[in-house]
Amino acid sequence: VPAERATSTPRTRGADLHLELPAEPAGGLRAGVMEALREAVRTGRLAPGVRLPSSRSLAADLGVARNTVADAYAELVAEGWLTARQGSGTAVARRASPRRPAAPARTGPSTTGPVHDLRPGRPDTASFPRAEWLRATRRALATAPNSAFDYGGPRGRIELRTALADYLARARGVRATPERVVVCSGVLHALQLLGGALRARGVRSIGVEAYGLGGQRAMLARSGLRTPPLPLDAHGARTDDPAGLAGLGAVLLTPAHQFPTGVALHPDRRAAVVDWARASGGLVLEDDYDGEFRYDRHPVGALQGLDPEHVVHLGTTSKALAPGLRLGWMVLPGSLLAEVERQKAGQEFTTGVVEQLTLAELLVSGGYDRHVRARRLAYRRRRDQLVTRLAERAGGVRVAGLSAGLHALLELPPGTEDDVLRAAAWHQVAVHGLDRYRHPDADPLPDALVVGYATPSASAWAGALDALCGALP
Ligand SMILES: Cc1ncc(COP(=O)(O)O)c(C=O)c1O
C-alpha cells in the first residue's frame, strides 16, 4: 500500500507500506486494520508525518469496505495515533513515534508470531531431569567396560536392551527379552527400519489410522509402501472390519491413546487385529508413544502382550524425557529380527553409546520411574486445569478423548475449525486443527482442535490458557 509523506510536496516521495491483515481477525476487520496500522507505527515502518493512502485506496488494496478503513482511521485519530487535516488527508501523528522496545503483547493481540505454544506432541523441555541425567551418566561411565566405547552392534548396547526388557514388561505388559529389543532413535526411525524390512518381505501396503502423523505416513511411503487409511470412530481404528484390512501386510496403530483423537482401541478391536495378523501373516506395529501417561486409571497394557510374534512394540523417550534425545526402541517378533538388524546395519547407527548407557542406568536405578511419576502428576494437573477453564470460559467446546497423554481434543461447533485457528493465531496461540492430521484419502471427522498442554513453562501456562480461551467459541 503506498503511503506518502505529508510534506509541502505531497505525492512526490512515496513510501511503501505493507499491511498484514489476518484473514479473519478476532474483533472484526476494522480492529484488524487498526492493529495492523498501530503495529506499523510502533515498529517504525510508518514514520511520524507519513501520509496514509486515502481510505478508498487502502480499502481497495486490502479488499475490505471503504467504511472499514475510514472508521479505523477515525478511531486511530481519536486515539492519537493519526492526525486528519482538511485538505491534506490522514497522516501518522508526530508524537506517535515508536516507543522502544515495541511490545505488541502488552497492547493485546497482534499479528506478530505466536507466543503461546500449544502444539501437540511435545513435552515440557524445561522439566528434562538434567541433574539426574548427569548423575546417571557419571555412574554409567564409571562402570562401563572399555569395550563399550568401541563400534557397537546395530541392536544397541546390551545394558540398555536388558533394562528396557525389564522396564517394558513391568510398566507396559510387553513380553520382551533383551534379544528381541533393538535400540533406535525414536518411533520415526523405527518406521524407517520397519518400512525397509516389510518391503524386503514383499509387503506392499500398510494400513494407517485415518488421522495420524503425516511424517510417519511419509516415512513409510519412502520405503515404497502404500498407506491406505483405516477409518476411525470413538472405539479407535476399525480393525473389526475385514474389508478394510484386506490386502494389507501390516497396520500401524496407536492402541493405548489414538493420536490425535485421544481414544483407546476397544478391547474387541484389539483382539480383532491380532486375529487378523495371525490369520493373514500380517504384522501390527504398535506405536506406544505416550503409554506411560494415563491419569484416570492404570494404563492399558501393550497390545504386544497379546501376541509378541505378530505385534511390534515401538517406544520412545520423546514424551517422557525429551524428543531431542532421539532415543527409542522396538520389541520385535523373532521373524523380523534379522531383517531389521540388517536394515539398521546398512545405516549409521544414530544412537551414541553414552546416551544408551545413561538411559540404562536411569531405568535400573529407578530414576526414570521417578521422573515419569512426577511428570504424570504435572501433566495431569495441566489437563485438569484445561478442562476446568474451558468449562468456565468456552461453552462452545467439548473435551473429548481419554484423560491421558500430553494433548486433548477439543470438539468445536461444526464448520468453525478454520475460524478458531485464525482467532488463535490472532491471540498468538500456536495450536493445531484436527484436519491437519487427516489422511488425504480419509473421510473428515467433525471439527476439532488438538491442544498440547505440556509445553508452556509453569509461569506461561495461565497466560496460554487465557489466550486459548479468548480464541474459542
Ligand atoms: C503418535 C506419535 N508417535 C510417536 C511420536 C514420537 O516420535 P519420535 O519417537 O520419532 O520422536 C509422537 C510425537 O509427537 C507421536 O505423536
Side-chain angles (χ1 to χ4, degrees):
V1 176
E4 293 167 334
R5 282 192 181 278
T7 63
S8 52
T9 52
R11 299 183 190 284
T12 54
R13 311 225 321 254
D16 225 25
L17 169 61
H18 177 71
L19 277 191
E20 290 220 24
L21 269 190
E24 274 184 44
L29 279 171
R30 182 180 48 78
V33 173
M34 286 174 67
E35 185 50 27
L37 285 166
R38 284 195 205 99
E39 181 68 7
V41 173
R42 258 190 233 113
T43 55
R45 281 192 296 122
L46 267 182
V50 165
R51 181 166 142 175
L52 295 173
S54 70
S55 54
R56 183 194 304 275
S57 110
L58 181 59
D61 283 339
L62 294 175
V64 303
R66 181 183 174 186
N67 276 350
T68 304
V69 175
D71 291 348
Y73 278 1
E75 281 207 50
L76 290 172
V77 168
E79 288 180 7
W81 292 87
L82 307 180
T83 55
R85 247 176 299 140
Q86 196 71 42
S88 58
T90 309
V92 179
R94 298 273 173 196
R95 67 179 168 283
S97 54
R99 279 165 278 133
R100 299 207 185 269
R106 272 187 312 183
T107 55
S110 104
T111 53
T112 55
V115 295
H116 306 292
D117 189 356
L118 296 178
R119 291 172 298 164
R122 292 157 176 82
D124 172 13
T125 49
S127 72
F128 183 77
R130 297 179 193 227
E132 189 74 58
W133 184 265
L134 206 56
R135 280 194 294 273
T137 305
R138 205 170 276 136
R139 288 196 302 272
L141 291 185
T143 53
N146 292 342
S147 60
F149 304 101
D150 200 347
Y151 287 106
R155 292 190 196 188
R157 284 299 302 176
I158 183 64
E159 293 90 336
L160 179 54
R161 290 189 285 119
T162 306
L164 281 170
D166 289 349
Y167 171 77
L168 293 171
R170 172 166 57 78
R172 300 293 301 122
V174 173
R175 288 201 261 161
T177 58
E179 293 68 39
R180 294 289 183 92
V181 178
V182 172
V183 176
C184 57
S185 64
V187 173
L188 200 60
H189 185 211
L191 294 180
Q192 180 182 14
L193 298 167
L194 288 163
L198 290 172
R199 282 299 292 140
R201 274 189 164 201
V203 171
R204 293 177 169 278
S205 295
I206 175 168
V208 298
E209 292 164 324
Y211 282 71
L213 291 176
Q216 292 190 346
R217 294 193 292 263
M219 183 60 90
L220 293 167
R222 241 170 262 143
S223 296
L225 291 164
R226 283 195 299 270
T227 59
L230 298 174
L232 269 179
D233 63 21
H235 298 303
R238 292 296 311 271
T239 55
D240 54 341
D241 176 12
L245 298 171
L248 301 179
V251 294
L252 169 64
L253 301 173
T254 46
H257 188 218
Q258 206 282 325
F259 188 86
T261 63
V263 299
L265 189 64
H266 190 279
D268 292 347
R269 296 191 186 173
R270 287 164 66 94
V273 77
V274 169
D275 287 346
W276 162 81
R278 285 178 181 155
S280 67
L283 277 172
V284 183
L285 313 189
E286 172 182 39
D287 175 2
D288 198 42
Y289 64 108
D290 69 358
E292 289 116 330
F293 296 105
R294 179 90 191 234
Y295 313 126
D296 55 339
R297 49 160 285 174
H298 200 66
V300 182
L303 185 66
Q304 189 265 7
L306 293 181
D307 190 338
E309 298 306 331
H310 290 96
V311 182
V312 184
H313 182 80
L314 309 177
T316 178
T317 55
S318 289
K319 305 288 175 176
L321 281 168
L325 275 182
R326 303 318 297 146
L327 199 45
W329 49 86
M330 290 175 259
V331 183
L332 293 161
S335 63
L336 261 187
L337 204 51
E339 185 55 40
V340 169
E341 195 172 342
R342 212 180 61 78
Q343 295 283 333
K344 195 162 179 237
Q347 303 182 350
E348 173 56 48
F349 291 168
T350 66
T351 311
V353 68
V354 178
E355 277 84 2
Q356 292 189 55
L357 293 174
T358 302
L359 180 60
E361 172 61 27
L362 211 57
L363 285 163
V364 170
S365 67
Y368 186 85
D369 288 58
R370 272 196 303 283
H371 177 71
V372 166
R373 271 202 304 278
R375 289 289 86 216
R376 198 183 284 138
L377 201 62
Y379 293 147
R380 176 195 188 138
R381 281 204 195 102
R382 287 255 164 127
R383 188 182 173 94
D384 289 348
Q385 286 160 354
L386 173 73
V387 170
T388 306
R389 188 63 62 89
L390 291 175
E392 291 164 0
R393 290 204 34 204
V397 307
R398 194 185 82 86
V399 182
L402 302 177
S403 181
L406 278 53
H407 73 277
L409 189 81
L410 310 192
E411 290 176 351
L412 300 170
T416 60
E417 189 171 311
D418 287 345
D419 290 347
V420 170
L421 285 175
R422 275 193 287 272
W426 183 247
H427 284 269
Q428 297 187 296
V429 177
V431 67
H432 289 169
L434 179 59
D435 194 57
R436 144 196 298 259
Y437 297 100
R438 183 167 63 86
H439 188 294
D441 300 333
D443 291 334
L445 290 173
D447 286 5
L449 277 194
V450 190
V451 175
Y453 44 78
T455 309
S457 66
S459 59
W461 171 234
L465 258 185
D466 280 345
L468 174 69
C469 288
L472 293 173

